[in-house]
Amino acid sequence: MKKLPMEEIKDIPTRQVIEDLRARKYSLLESAGCHKLRSEMKWPGLVCRLVINWVWGTSGIDKKSFRHDRLVAAKLAKLLDWAAPSEITGTIPTRTHSLVIGFNHPSLGEIIRFIRICMSDHHNHSHLFPVNLPWYEALMPVVDKLERLGIYITPIITPSTYDKMQKIASNEDMIVIEELRKGFSMRYVELCTEFVKNHGVIWVAPSATRRPTVFRSKNEYDNLERAEPPTMTLIASSMVRAGIKDCEFLSCAVVPPQGATRGLNLFKEYELNFGECYDMNQVGWLIRQKCEHHRGRMFEYEFLQSICHSLKSMNAEHLFYS
């Protein structure tokens, strides 16, 4: 993959960088000297691309037709249901045209199980997923096909990836990476607003990265410290400012199988529980409420607690905090 000096990338607007990555004009990871992070995704990315391309190619009808895309989505959903099983409780409401679904994120496994839900049960919506930069670059060869199936991805640089890049890249390159990280996050929040205006579904992990528990500590769980990062608050505040009315925020609790890794955990059953829902009136009110012991807003805390409420009903209190 072509490299571009970071000195040149720093002058490119964030949206154009995203378009360049999508067009595979260069690799941001390679340009920053982070070849190891890119190579870690070589085989997982290859497997994902092969599966998508195989299903795409074996759906033997007009490849440009809507019927073809629905057939591919149905076949992929069936394949994922077999390879990535899940037991689902609760329901995804259909009262509003748009949804923001927030979930605890212990592994990569829940993501492909959510994608199965998108392709089978909610294929009439467009679905937006923020994707960590190494995964984003690995999936670029099939991004057009994913979008035809209703799955849209946008890059972010998670805290763990940023820390890894910091250990590899030069100080000068990290200045550019820091600006891009902010730019990617801002673009993601903008896309969230655009998607809900167009009756889409946003899937988001409040932790912004894989983390074994909902809260980082007992103090966060007790609301003595601010829950970090304030992901749900940022998204919700953007929607309130945009005057969004027809949207709900839905919590989803994820319980991975016993002995699960941080990976895909194929052929092992997850438990997914869609729980409490907040309409925009509730969201707007909670955003305005300040927490007593820190500068955070009550919406973040209440939403994370709603995930814990579902986890408790699943006897998974060990996932509350570290």
Side-chain angles (χ1 to χ4, degrees), residues 78-300:
K78 186 176 181 180
L79 179 63
L80 289 174
D81 195 37
W82 169 72
S86 58
E87 179 184 343
I88 301 172
T89 54
T91 58
I92 297 178
T94 57
R95 295 182 296 268
T96 55
H97 291 296
S98 304
L99 278 172
V100 179
I101 302 176
F103 55 92
N104 58 310
H105 188 22
S107 69
L108 290 175
E110 56 270 16
I111 304 301
I112 58 174
R113 288 157 176 87
F114 290 147
I115 288 174
R116 198 279 299 168
I117 293 171
C118 296
M119 290 186 177
S120 58
D121 302 332
H122 296 272
H123 56 81
N124 292 325
H125 290 274
S126 295
H127 300 265
L128 177 65
F129 289 84
V131 176
N132 196 18
L133 180 61
W135 263 109
Y136 187 79
E137 290 195 3
L139 292 173
M140 282 306 92
V142 293
V143 67
D144 291 332
K145 292 173 181 174
L146 286 173
E147 289 183 358
R148 283 179 57 178
L149 301 177
I151 307 298
Y152 292 76
I153 60 176
T154 190
I156 59 169
I157 299 176
T158 65
S160 59
T161 292
Y162 182 81
D163 290 343
K164 291 175 184 176
M165 296 180 79
Q166 212 167 19
K167 295 175 182 177
I168 301 170
S170 67
N171 291 336
E172 293 79 11
D173 287 351
M174 284 309 301
I175 294 173
V176 182
I177 294 298
E178 172 62 19
E179 289 305 308
L180 285 171
R181 178 170 77 152
K182 293 176 182 176
F184 287 164
S185 295
M186 290 175 63
R187 180 56 186 151
Y188 169 57
V189 172
E190 290 173 358
L191 280 173
C192 287
T193 303
E194 292 174 17
F195 261 70
V196 297
K197 284 182 177 179
N198 290 289
H199 305 163
V201 179
I202 315 299
W203 297 79
V204 55
S207 61
T209 191
R210 282 175 289 174
R211 192 167 72 195
T213 56
V214 176
F215 292 94
R216 295 179 304 167
S217 66
K218 178 77 160 54
N219 278 347
E220 275 194 3
Y221 177 77
D222 290 334
N223 207 17
L224 299 175
E225 296 176 0
R226 187 170 83 160
E228 293 286 354
T231 306
M232 304 308 294
T233 300
L234 290 173
I235 294 172
S237 297
S238 174
M239 293 183 184
V240 169
R241 287 193 299 270
I244 302 294
K245 300 294 184 185
D246 192 22
C247 181
E248 290 182 304
F249 281 68
L250 172 68
S251 67
C252 179
V254 175
V255 179
Q258 189 172 7
T261 67
R262 284 165 49 86
L264 296 174
N265 297 297
L266 296 176
F267 307 108
K268 296 180 180 179
E269 187 173 77
Y270 277 60
E271 293 182 68
L272 308 176
N273 186 330
F274 293 98
E276 296 177 54
C277 218
Y278 300 82
D279 62 32
M280 288 306 297
N281 288 330
Q282 293 171 296
V283 170
W285 186 83
L286 285 167
I287 281 178
R288 293 191 296 271
Q289 308 309 305
K290 297 179 181 179
C291 296
E292 180 181 357
H293 299 288
H294 52 78
R295 298 179 63 186
R297 301 289 172 158
M298 281 302 296
F299 178 64
E300 196 77 33

Side-chain angles (χ1 to χ4, degrees), residues 52-78:
I52 292 170
N53 287 329
W54 174 74
V55 175
W56 198 273
T58 54
S59 299
I61 55 178
D62 181 8
K63 299 294 189 291
K64 296 181 179 180
S65 68
F66 174 76
R67 183 181 168 216
H68 166 267
D69 296 351
R70 287 303 315 131
L71 179 60
V72 170
K75 290 175 71 173
L76 274 174
K78 186 176 181 180

Side-chain angles (χ1 to χ4, degrees), residues 213-215 221 308-309 311-312 316-322:
T213 56
V214 176
F215 292 94
Y221 177 77
C308 289
H309 296 162
L311 288 173
K312 185 174 182 179
E317 289 92 337
H318 62 285
L319 298 178
F320 285 4
Y321 55 83
S322 301

